[in-house]
Amino acid sequence: MNSSKKINSALISVFDKTGLAPIVQELAKNNVEIFSTGGTQNFIEELGIKVTPVEELTSFPSILGGRVKTLHPKIFGGILHRRLFEQDLEQIDTYDIPPIDLVIVDLYPFEATVASGASHEDIIEKIDIGGISLIRAAAKNYKDVVILPSQKSYAGFLEIYANNATTTYDQRKHFAMQAFNVSSHYDTHIFNYFNDETEDVFKQSILNASVLRYGENPHQKGVFYGDMDALFDKLHGKELSYNNLLDIDAAVNLMADFQNEEPTFAILKHNNACGLASRPTLKEAYEAALAADPVSAFGGILIANTTIDLATAELINSLFCEVVIAPKMNDDALELLKSKKNRVLLIQKLFTFPTKQFRTILNGVLEQDRDILLETKPDLQTITSKEPTASEIEDLLFANKLVKHTKSNTIVIAKNKQLLASGTGQTSRVDALNQAIHKAKTFAFDLKGAVMASDAFFPFPDCVEIAHNEGINTVIQPGGSIKDDLSVAYCNENDMAMVMTGNRHFKH
């Protein structure tokens, strides 16, 4: 079987005409008969190219406000008939159905319409019926028909077609694969729009993919599915790695809880903050964040919640770091930070976080709501005789934000809105506390007057006792242990203040 096929006729029906002109012009140059509808027909005619209206082919007008245009046997027969099946050819001849060798479709923008906040009625009208049917029909009959299901296929087709005006079996099969990718993605987003969570099924689809140098380790393949350009403007630096992306995700999620607050700077390593501070100026915030652990900061991910100025950039520039993220960088600061050729500089755009989180486990996927809970002063319940002071409450809330974004089990020690140290990812809460105390002392911090935050309740009073012995006398924790009263009693006996939030913040 000769796998190369010439295109003699094409059906074109697109919502967005961007990038279509070069293809139409190339088809016209090769005397391809073009069928089209509505706005696409007008677009082609304005190019000075002859086009046959679909209504002329079907002898049936567009009806129902354009809902039915191409859904006709003369259209789908022309696409779906098998060129080597005698019975199919006889029926095509009997009903005077012209073959269609190329189908070009650009679907109604359902996903973008949902994202725009449009009304339910407008969203429903952007569910493409004819277009999706054309895509599936042409893709099914890929042995004989070429399908271009979206603008992303245009460049590849033009490169092939401009060469010798034919396509091979393998090329048509590749376009069919792209077509089913487009159609399944489209249907997934329609389903997720309609699903009110009464159907417990996992359906997600992302078309954008970036192949990474490798995964978590060099022997693992890595791919990022998503649109980084929608989140950041990358101004400088090398390609981001798998581990960079994990750290960037952790950094952005952490800093989201410090939006619209005083200048705050964070330094992260292996998805955990090794430095965090809020200060009147960003320079001071950076200095305080770095002081928490200048050793771990080496090779870290840096993020600010406000514009990076030159004074702050001069300090950053003396540190080897992988990535710097901010909503803005002053021109002089940007030029200085660009002096290290591999340092990645990202300007974070305003965007909405996904509401769901997923993780592959065993032979399936875990899904949960994103932890968007952010405790404020009214959420704090003082359960000891002693109440925390106003400044201690600020530190408690500061520490509680950080504990939410640190690997469990975790204890965070903070003072004057500065992270002194944290114990991260420990199998016991006591180990996490001891780790934090050891680290704070390593960098010569005075723990007297510091506060302690825990991501989960204290099953025993051992943690508050250890903290008290180090000069830490103010504590925030979720509560909920059947032995909460033991920790409360110890605090009351030793003039400590403890507040409970009622909300656990495990992170695994």
Side-chain angles (χ1 to χ4, degrees):
M1 181 180 70
N2 182 4
S3 69
S4 291
K5 287 186 176 290
K6 184 180 178 182
I7 295 171
N8 295 306
S9 59
L11 173 65
I12 307 175
S13 180
V14 299
F15 179 84
D16 186 346
K17 283 68 177 177
T18 303
L20 182 62
I23 292 181
V24 174
Q25 290 163 344
E26 194 67 29
L27 293 173
K29 190 167 69 176
N30 287 280
N31 299 314
V32 173
E33 183 177 9
I34 298 174
F35 303 100
S36 192
T37 64
T40 308
Q41 175 190 333
N42 295 336
F43 174 83
I44 296 171
E45 288 173 340
E46 288 172 3
L47 293 174
I49 295 171
K50 182 181 178 183
V51 57
T52 301
V54 162
E55 293 85 352
E56 188 175 309
L57 171 63
T58 63
S59 300
F60 207 91
S62 171
I63 62 173
L64 307 181
R67 281 189 167 198
V68 179
K69 290 182 288 189
T70 58
L71 296 169
H72 193 281
K74 281 209 169 184
I75 298 294
F76 283 86
I79 296 169
L80 282 165
H81 79 276
R82 292 156 290 189
R83 273 60 169 176
L84 297 179
F85 275 51
E86 193 64 36
Q87 187 176 1
D88 284 10
L89 295 175
E90 288 175 359
Q91 291 183 344
I92 289 296
D93 184 60
T94 298
Y95 297 107
D96 192 25
I97 298 175
I100 296 174
D101 306 316
L102 168 66
V103 176
I104 304 176
V105 175
D106 181 69
L107 296 170
Y108 290 164
F110 177 84
E111 195 176 346
T113 304
V114 173
S116 73
S119 69
H120 178 71
E121 290 73 19
D122 288 342
I123 290 170
I124 295 303
E125 288 306 311
K126 287 299 184 289
I127 297 177
D128 206 312
I129 302 301
I132 205 77
S133 301
L134 290 170
I135 287 174
R136 291 179 64 83
K140 178 176 180 175
N141 205 24
Y142 71 88
K143 288 182 180 180
D144 298 309
V145 179
V146 181
I147 173 63
L148 304 185
S150 74
Q151 294 173 19
K152 291 183 178 180
S153 298
Y154 291 0
F157 172 77
L158 266 177
E159 185 177 349
I160 292 167
Y161 189 70
N163 186 34
N164 59 9
T166 63
T167 61
T168 66
Y169 173 91
D170 288 340
Q171 289 165 348
R172 293 191 297 276
K173 187 176 181 181
H174 181 75
F175 285 123
M177 177 273 293
Q178 292 181 347
F180 287 119
N181 184 25
V182 167
S183 65
S184 63
H185 176 82
Y186 198 76
D187 285 341
T188 294
H189 280 272
I190 293 172
F191 168 80
N192 285 335
Y193 172 74
F194 276 92
N195 187 16
D196 56 4
E197 299 190 358
T198 55
E199 291 289 329
D200 290 326
V201 294
F202 181 78
K203 288 184 184 292
Q204 293 294 320
S205 178
I206 301 173
L207 291 178
N208 297 305
S210 302
V211 177
L212 306 174
R213 285 172 290 167
Y214 50 80
E216 200 161 5
N217 300 292
H219 62 275
Q220 295 171 273
K221 180 183 176 181
V223 181
F224 171 68
Y225 295 98
D227 184 6
M228 285 290 285
D229 291 338
L231 310 181
F232 304 100
D233 286 325
K234 184 182 176 187
L235 304 182
H236 184 71
K238 63 182 181 179
E239 291 300 313
L240 292 167
S241 70
Y242 182 98
N243 292 324
N244 286 156
L245 289 169
L246 287 176
D247 282 332
I248 290 169
D249 178 68
V252 168
N253 275 279
L254 169 61
M255 199 53 71
D257 283 348
F258 289 90
Q259 275 190 340
N260 304 317
E261 296 195 8
E262 64 182 315
T264 301
F265 210 105
I267 304 171
L268 288 89
K269 198 77 170 285
H270 295 290
N271 311 157
N272 293 302
C274 58
L276 177 71
S278 297
R279 290 290 184 270
T281 68
L282 192 63
K283 176 177 177 288
E284 293 172 293
Y286 173 76
E287 289 175 315
L290 181 64
D293 188 349
V295 175
S296 295
F298 183 85
I301 305 293
L302 279 57
I303 186 167
N305 71 343
T306 189
T307 303
I308 294 180
D309 55 17
L310 181 60
T312 308
E314 287 172 341
L315 296 176
I316 294 172
N317 202 48
S318 64
L319 174 72
F320 169 71
C321 57
E322 294 268 350
V323 181
V324 182
I325 309 166
K328 185 179 178 182
M329 299 178 190
N330 288 340
D331 291 343
D332 49 4
L334 177 60
E335 286 308 307
L336 178 60
L337 293 175
K338 282 183 176 180
S339 64
K340 302 291 175 32
K341 69 175 184 178
N342 288 330
R343 180 188 287 150
V344 178
L345 304 178
L346 299 176
I347 298 299
Q348 184 179 336
K349 301 176 182 179
L350 290 175
F351 68 93
T352 302
F353 286 95
T355 59
K356 300 289 185 182
Q357 293 178 317
F358 315 109
R359 179 182 293 186
T360 58
I361 65 157
L362 303 174
N363 65 347
V365 176
L366 281 174
E367 176 184 305
Q368 68 171 354
D369 296 333
R370 182 171 168 266
D371 186 359
I372 60 173
L373 200 60
L374 186 63
E375 288 81 13
T376 59
K377 185 177 178 180
D379 299 312
L380 307 184
Q381 180 185 4
T382 303
I383 41 81
T384 51
S385 301
K386 183 179 180 180
E387 294 196 7
T389 65
S391 62
E392 286 172 338
I393 288 175
E394 287 190 355
D395 280 346
L396 289 172
L397 293 172
F398 174 91
N400 193 57
K401 288 179 184 177
L402 181 53
V403 89
K404 168 184 164 184
H405 295 281
T406 307
K407 296 290 185 181
S408 300
N409 287 313
T410 182
I411 293 287
V412 168
I413 301 174
K415 184 178 179 179
N416 298 326
K417 288 194 273 191
Q418 176 190 23
L419 169 65
L420 302 189
S422 60
T424 61
Q426 298 302 301
T427 53
S428 90
R429 206 153 299 283
V430 171
D431 286 346
L433 175 55
N434 285 330
Q435 181 190 51
I437 291 169
H438 172 77
K439 190 172 183 180
K441 288 182 175 180
T442 299
F443 295 107
F445 283 113
D446 180 8
L447 297 181
K448 187 176 181 180
V451 305
M452 174 176 72
S454 175
D455 60 339
F457 63 64
F458 298 118
F460 303 102
D462 43 12
C463 282
V464 290
E465 181 178 355
I466 295 168
H468 173 67
N469 291 336
E470 297 294 339
I472 302 169
N473 288 310
T474 311
V475 181
I476 185 170
Q477 59 131 329
S481 169
I482 59 174
K483 297 184 178 179
D484 275 344
D485 56 333
L486 297 180
S487 295
V488 174
Y490 183 89
C491 289
N492 285 333
E493 292 166 6
N494 292 275
D495 198 31
M496 297 177 68
M498 179 186 286
V499 301
M500 290 184 179
T501 64
N503 301 310
R504 189 181 72 186
H505 287 295
F506 270 163
K507 184 183 179 187
H508 295 106

